[in-house]
Amino acid sequence: QCDWSSDVCSSDLLAQWALEFEQYRMLALIALPIARRVGSVVRDTEIQLASVTRKLAGQWIGDSTEAIYLELTDLAGKIEAEITASTYRFAAAQAYGAIVVDRLARLDEQSLDERPTVGSFLSARFSPALRTYESMQAALQDLARRTARAADLIRTHIDLQLSRQNNDLLQALNRRTRQQIRLQQTVEGLSVAAVSYYVLGLIGYLLKGIKDAGYMTLDPSILTAAFVPIVVLALALAVRHIRKNHIS
């Protein structure tokens, strides 16, 4: 430790302090051009995001929904790229700035005749840069959150559209299914009628042959008519049984 009461030691210590202070101050200010560039990016992104949110508020739907979502995705990518590129630089500059602030505090200057001290003079011109870094980081994080919320809104809107489309599709499928069932029932009814006609024709031929052979005295047409409800009922039950086996 140097003895501050010694002029030589004090001069050497102050010279070393001044060199280190200036070095850390320059390192802390090296990220200021990045902060200016990020500021312009934030302004441009704010304008684009405001335009997209106005579209969402105006309920511009349909073919523009995908375009809005792609625009939001592009904005989110730009913001994340800026956050990735600037976070390390801002953090390093703020760390050097903290060293500068600490060195100014340790200097423990005393004001003479209410004149500004060197530390207050430098702090007044140095602190805005640190606040700029903080504000740019906060602005980027805020933009990222707002873009994420807007993307969530458009995704919700897209999900609602898909739900409506799926509901319409299911209703159309239900209608087609009912139509197919009715058509199948009609075909089954026609099939029962057609098969019954052929079966009754065979029964009529059989009864007519039996009568011609002298084994029956009754009129074949009367017996055939008596077989009509039996044949139709039997075929209907058979078709119903087959349909149930196919469904199960």
Side-chain angles (χ1 to χ4, degrees), residues 178-193:
R178 287 194 294 269
Q179 292 174 357
Q180 290 176 355
I181 291 174
R182 287 196 293 267
L183 180 61
Q184 182 180 358
Q185 291 174 348
T186 302
V187 172
E188 289 176 355
L190 294 175
S191 299
V192 169

Side-chain angles (χ1 to χ4, degrees), residues 69-136:
Y69 185 74
L70 292 176
E71 188 174 357
L72 282 173
T73 304
D74 183 63
L75 282 178
K78 290 180 180 178
I79 295 170
E80 290 298 327
E82 288 296 332
I83 291 174
T84 303
S86 62
T87 298
Y88 175 77
R89 298 291 184 88
F90 287 157
Q94 288 172 333
Y96 288 122
I99 295 175
V100 173
V101 173
D102 180 69
R103 291 294 178 89
L104 290 175
R106 290 172 59 187
L107 186 60
D108 194 20
E109 294 179 285
Q110 300 295 327
S111 177
L112 297 176
D113 298 331
E114 297 183 355
R115 296 178 182 178
T117 62
V118 175
S120 62
F121 177 81
L122 294 176
S123 178
R125 285 153 181 78
F126 178 74
S127 298
L130 299 181
R131 289 194 292 270
T132 300
Y133 301 153
E134 294 177 357
S135 63
M136 289 300 102

Side-chain angles (χ1 to χ4, degrees), residues 3 11 26 28 62 125 127 133 143 157 193-194 211 217:
D3 185 5
S11 300
M26 295 302 296
R125 285 153 181 78
S127 298
Y133 301 153
L143 276 176
H157 184 73
K211 182 181 179 182
T217 58

